Amino acid sequence: MATPLSILSWLLLLLSDQTWIIEAPTTNKVMFEICDNALDDDQDGLIDLNDPECACEILEPVSLIPNPSFEDLKCCPDNRSQLNCAEAWIQASDPTTDLIHNCGWGGWDEFPPPRPFPDGDGIMGFRDGRIRGNNAPDLNWKEYAGACLLSPLKAGNIYRFEFDLGFVSRTQSPPINITFFGTTDCANLPFGERNEDLGCPTNGPNWVRLASKLVSGSFSSWEKVLLEVEPQEDIYAIAIGPDCPPVNNPVSTYYFFDNLLLADFRVFELKIRSINHPCANDFTLEVGDNQQYTYQWYKDGIALVGETSALLSQIYGDGDYQVRIEDGESCRLSTTYQYQEPFITQTANVTICQEDFLPFGDRLLNEPGTYLDTLKSVENCDSIVSLNLKVLGALADTVQVQIFEGETYHIDRFRFRREGDHLITLDSDLGCDSLVLIQLEYFPIFIPSAFSPDGDGVNDRFSVFSENGWIESADFIIYDRWGAKVYEGPAWDGQMNGEPLRPGVFVYVLNVTMNDGITRQFSGSVTLVR
């Protein structure tokens, strides 16, 4: 019986037939990116969502309402009732809604819109009833905006309508039953033409009430509103605004719309929504909560470790936020929510008496000048305030005045006729003295006594002259020595009806308007020399 080969002999025999190359590990590098740990696992310089290995489908709700945030413009509004400046939007009712946009018209003075706007630079404003000039309530004055949908709402499907509703104050914007109407044909927009008292769309034909919700807001606030809609027929156009019953308010009311998102309700699972005002200490973000999903939040594409629920526990400063949702089989990624803590820039012009002090931040001011400070607004936003402080009595205001010699300038109880500087003390509305320096000068105009229209380029026209643009307009009427009018206009060339007149003395009346806007009349004579 043969002797078995030893283990060493067996290995030598094996190696004699084949060449084996064995490399020891030289690095512990991970060859793939882990997408939720805020680390560059594969050391390629790209972390988490910034690495293509972590790509997954982005599901974005696309509104069936065109131009949902009033950003696309055909023109920049410069006054009320200009919703037509917004692409795709239609003044649905005879009472007109208002387009408010940072490019131009900023809204009614008595109804200041809450800022910042929820989305972009444009919003829409509307009324639910108003008070006329005779203090009589106009109960059926209801304003609606309308649009043809990009694609129809199909009968039997469920849709979600999400939007921001703005309030001026509890008095001017009391709780409102905000309502969503629909029609089967875009040709039904607008409705109730030339009928200010029609009220809501369903007071006329071809419109149905799709959904409504009672919403209330606080002083200068935006409220997020969600409505679910299941139409019973295909809807091709919509109108939004107040509910139908007349509302008898003691004051005119006003509200604002922005960011009108209408889509199949299922796509809203990945729509990031804000909670509270962006400046509030407890401001945060959330998505629709579903127990079958797992969540991971990201800022600027890097995982926020531990943020694994539908509600983000806190905001982590300015940046782009996203949430990734997994259902065990696939992943989906929300669109980006861009957060930047808002700040407000304001300019204040304040006047105090010399002996008074003005609180400004943590300072008491008594010296005139311009001051800057960062204060907190009502909603806790940083407000950068530029204060122009005037202290009456500390410095003299300068008033530059121009008159004609022989005229009198009046200010308070003072009268001035002579050129020069005059320092006076006035009593202000604040009850303190105000020093005013009056710098008085005569208008420097010259009316020649003769002219020679001989075509030599010198003194060819009779006119009134002044430096520095003092004269805005001048108009002469010229008469001959028998009182017949021979010319009327700004400058006379010595002709009448295109024919040169003989030398002689002519009488003029001059109406001249100076740059103070006042028209004065002078008269005299001028000699025409040939």
Side-chain angles (χ1 to χ4, degrees):
M1 183 175 182
T3 303
L5 292 174
S6 68
I7 294 175
L8 178 60
S9 299
W10 183 82
L11 287 174
L12 290 172
L13 180 61
L14 183 64
L15 291 174
S16 66
D17 294 333
Q18 301 185 45
T19 300
W20 292 76
I21 300 175
I22 303 174
E23 292 186 358
T26 59
T27 179
N28 57 358
K29 177 181 177 182
V30 177
M31 301 306 295
F32 60 89
E33 180 74 10
I34 300 171
C35 300
D36 59 0
N37 62 358
L39 299 174
D40 184 11
D41 303 290
D42 56 5
Q43 299 177 31
D44 63 354
L46 303 173
I47 302 175
D48 293 345
L49 298 184
N50 300 303
D51 195 312
E53 294 182 26
C54 297
C56 59
E57 179 188 7
I58 297 179
L59 186 63
E60 179 181 7
V62 177
S63 183
L64 299 178
I65 299 176
N67 195 13
S69 293
F70 310 97
E71 300 305 303
D72 300 328
L73 300 181
K74 294 183 287 186
C75 55
C76 182
D78 58 15
N79 211 324
R80 60 184 180 86
S81 304
Q82 294 185 7
L83 184 65
N84 59 292
C85 280
E87 288 280 1
W89 283 96
I90 299 169
Q91 291 282 15
S93 55
D94 206 62
T96 53
T97 56
D98 304 314
L99 177 62
I100 299 166
H101 202 282
N102 289 333
C103 73
W105 192 64
W108 298 84
D109 291 340
E110 63 267 41
F111 304 121
R115 294 181 179 271
F117 297 164
D119 188 37
D121 293 319
I123 58 175
M124 184 267 286
F126 68 99
R127 296 176 186 265
D128 183 13
R130 67 173 182 175
I131 302 297
R132 291 186 180 272
N134 58 2
N135 291 324
D138 196 346
L139 306 183
N140 282 318
W141 186 274
K142 293 176 178 288
E143 299 177 350
Y144 297 87
C148 292
L149 299 177
L150 296 175
S151 60
L153 305 181
K154 292 296 186 179
N157 288 356
I158 299 176
Y159 299 87
R160 178 175 290 179
F161 184 28
E162 177 181 299
F163 55 91
D164 293 284
L165 185 64
F167 293 78
V168 181
S169 66
R170 294 190 183 278
T171 302
Q172 295 167 295
S173 307
I176 182 173
N177 204 28
I178 203 69
T179 308
F180 185 39
F181 301 89
T183 182
T184 57
D185 193 336
C186 283
N188 296 326
L189 275 173
F191 58 84
E193 292 184 89
R194 296 178 296 279
N195 184 358
E196 294 182 352
D197 296 323
L198 177 70
C200 79
T202 54
N203 289 338
N206 305 314
W207 284 86
V208 295
R209 187 173 184 268
L210 295 174
S212 66
K213 188 172 185 177
L214 183 64
V215 186
S216 60
S218 57
F219 173 79
S220 191
S221 70
W222 287 98
E223 305 296 331
K224 183 69 72 176
V225 184
L226 301 177
L227 295 173
E228 286 197 354
V229 179
E230 185 177 357
Q232 302 304 304
E233 53 189 340
D234 291 355
I235 298 297
Y236 284 80
I238 55 95
I240 51 177
D243 204 356
C244 298
V247 178
N248 190 3
N249 288 312
V251 298
S252 292
T253 60
Y254 205 83
Y255 306 85
F256 309 91
F257 269 128
D258 194 15
N259 198 20
L260 298 126
L261 184 57
L262 174 64
D264 189 299
F265 81 101
R266 289 169 294 184
V267 303
F268 282 88
E269 290 178 335
L270 279 176
K271 175 74 165 57
I272 296 179
R273 297 185 294 272
S274 60
I275 298 178
N276 299 320
H277 191 278
C279 294
N281 291 330
D282 55 355
F283 172 80
T284 190
L285 305 171
E286 69 172 356
V287 292
D289 193 4
N290 190 321
Q291 304 255 331
Q292 299 178 4
Y293 298 158
T294 60
Y295 301 87
Q296 176 61 57
W297 286 87
Y298 297 82
K299 177 175 172 283
D300 298 327
I302 300 174
L304 298 169
V305 178
E307 295 288 359
T308 56
S309 69
L311 175 68
L312 185 65
S313 67
Q314 66 180 77
I315 205 74
Y316 290 82
D318 293 353
D320 294 341
Y321 288 81
Q322 287 178 285
V323 62
R324 173 177 168 142
I325 294 180
E326 297 188 9
D327 59 6
E329 297 181 359
S330 63
C331 72
R332 289 175 293 168
L333 190 64
S334 74
T335 53
T336 299
Y337 184 99
Q338 295 179 326
Y339 174 78
Q340 182 175 19
E341 184 174 356
F343 66 91
I344 303 169
T345 301
Q346 300 183 68
T347 299
N349 299 303
V350 179
T351 302
I352 62 173
C353 296
Q354 189 172 15
E355 64 273 14
D356 293 337
F357 289 85
L358 178 71
F360 187 61
D362 57 359
R363 293 175 287 176
L364 289 175
L365 304 180
N366 182 249
E367 296 293 329
T370 300
Y371 301 86
L372 283 176
D373 204 347
T374 301
L375 309 176
K376 290 294 183 183
S377 69
V378 174
E379 294 288 353
N380 202 41
C381 290
D382 285 342
S383 178
I384 300 176
V385 179
S386 174
L387 171 67
N388 298 319
L389 181 63
K390 180 187 293 185
V391 180
L392 292 183
L395 293 174
D397 283 338
T398 300
V399 178
Q400 294 180 328
V401 178
Q402 295 81 34
I403 61 174
F404 280 99
E405 187 173 4
E407 293 182 337
T408 302
Y409 173 69
H410 302 254
I411 180 172
D412 197 51
R413 61 184 182 276
F414 299 96
R415 305 288 184 271
F416 300 100
R417 295 174 63 88
R418 292 182 294 106
E419 282 189 305
D421 293 345
H422 309 273
L423 188 64
I424 61 175
T425 301
L426 301 178
D427 295 328
S428 74
D429 293 337
L430 298 176
C432 50
D433 292 338
S434 174
L435 296 178
V436 178
L437 176 64
I438 307 296
Q439 293 183 329
L440 183 66
E441 61 179 325
Y442 296 145
F443 281 119
I445 71 169
F446 171 67
I447 305 174
S449 59
F451 76 117
S452 56
D454 52 11
D456 63 354
V458 178
N459 205 23
D460 282 339
R461 287 178 172 271
F462 174 57
S463 184
V464 57
F465 302 94
S466 179
E467 297 179 354
N468 301 323
W470 295 106
I471 297 175
E472 287 190 355
S473 65
D475 187 68
F476 282 97
I477 302 177
I478 310 294
Y479 301 91
D480 62 20
R481 60 181 177 173
W482 297 283
K485 184 168 72 171
V486 299
Y487 173 77
E488 182 173 356
W492 185 38
D493 61 1
Q495 299 186 31
M496 177 179 178
N497 298 326
E499 296 293 331
L501 294 178
R502 294 181 179 181
V505 177
F506 295 82
V507 175
Y508 68 82
V509 175
L510 168 64
N511 292 301
V512 59
T513 302
M514 307 305 292
N515 63 358
D516 61 359
I518 300 175
T519 300
R520 298 163 172 92
Q521 189 174 91
F522 299 89
S523 61
S525 63
V526 61
T527 301
L528 188 156
V529 179
R530 294 285 184 187

